[in-house]
Amino acid sequence: MPRGTAVASRATTQRTQRTQGTKERIICAAEEVVLRNGVSRLTLDAAAAEAGLSKGGVLYHFPTRDALVAGMVDKIIEEFDRDIDDRLLGDDGPGSFTRAYIRATLAPASARPDREDRLGAALIAAAAAQPSLLTPLQEAADRWQARLEDDGIDPALATVLRLACDGLWMCDLFGLAVPGPALRAGVADRLERLVEEPS
């Protein structure tokens, strides 16, 4: 590769990394605004102030508030996908995706699950007011469901287990009779054992 091409390629890579870093910084700032002041107070100005950027710096990456909320929803999906992938490592037998889904839902890798629950509830509320913002989450759920159905176990069982996990996730999000740690561990163990039961 000619030297000029290599330099240009390296500069492009550095620019891309800076852009990703700035977008992540804006999304993290927006999360803090939502957690501190509520989703109704999330504006591009508030996100810019929290991130220590000009409004123009935010507008470059997120031209509207809806685009910013969409970026936040995308982050939740990416983190859940990463959680699943981490739990799939070394497990490739029948039911592996179902087990990973259960573990990612009932024992998320986040060190601050209470924060993630409050944030998730706020973002879902914001997205519900603008149904098109839920499209990425709906598409991700369709993708996860397809993998569950093709996981080498009874598709109906895999779906029942997903619905149980999703129900618990909703309870966590909205504070609805959330089971304590011991009961939660028991539920997780029971769901995983169900994966192994013959159809």
Side-chain angles (χ1 to χ4, degrees), residues 81 84-85 88 91 93-102 143-148 151:
D81 275 333
I84 290 174
D85 289 344
L88 275 170
D91 184 359
S96 59
F97 186 81
T98 305
R99 282 188 293 278
Y101 191 94
I102 292 166
R143 178 170 43 82
W144 297 324
Q145 177 64 28
R147 290 191 67 185
L148 288 162
D151 199 24

Side-chain angles (χ1 to χ4, degrees), residues 3-189:
R3 180 167 157 55
T5 304
V7 169
S9 176
R10 191 169 45 252
T12 300
T13 300
Q14 290 171 343
R15 202 168 28 254
T16 301
Q17 288 171 342
R18 272 195 310 275
T19 297
Q20 284 306 109
T22 302
K23 284 180 80 168
E24 189 172 316
R25 180 173 158 196
I26 294 165
I27 289 172
C28 289
E31 290 173 347
E32 291 307 316
V33 170
V34 168
L35 288 169
R36 186 177 57 244
N37 304 325
V39 73
S40 63
R41 301 272 191 207
L42 177 62
T43 63
L44 295 179
D45 286 319
E50 186 73 26
L53 297 169
S54 68
K55 185 175 180 181
V58 171
L59 285 168
Y60 177 78
H61 298 285
F62 300 103
T64 65
R65 178 183 183 272
D66 284 353
L68 180 54
V69 171
M72 296 166 78
V73 170
D74 286 345
K75 182 182 176 197
I76 289 174
I77 294 166
E78 289 166 12
E79 288 175 350
F80 189 63
D81 275 333
R82 200 166 30 252
D83 253 4
I84 290 174
D85 289 344
D86 288 348
R87 285 160 172 80
L88 275 170
L89 294 174
D91 184 359
D92 57 1
S96 59
F97 186 81
T98 305
R99 282 188 293 278
Y101 191 94
I102 292 166
R103 292 171 187 157
T105 306
L106 274 68
S110 168
R112 300 162 65 188
D114 60 324
R115 177 187 189 278
E116 302 309 318
D117 290 343
R118 289 185 296 128
L119 184 61
L123 289 178
I124 287 172
Q130 193 63 257
S132 64
L133 296 178
L134 284 176
T135 300
L137 186 56
Q138 292 163 337
E139 290 170 350
D142 288 344
R143 178 170 43 82
W144 297 324
Q145 177 64 28
R147 290 191 67 185
L148 288 162
E149 290 178 20
D150 191 34
D151 199 24
I153 63 172
D154 176 23
L157 172 61
T159 300
V160 166
L161 295 172
R162 176 188 67 84
L163 293 171
C165 290
D166 291 355
L168 183 58
W169 181 69
M170 293 298 284
C171 289
D172 287 344
L173 281 182
F174 298 109
L176 306 172
V178 178
L183 182 54
R184 186 184 190 91
V187 169
D189 180 62

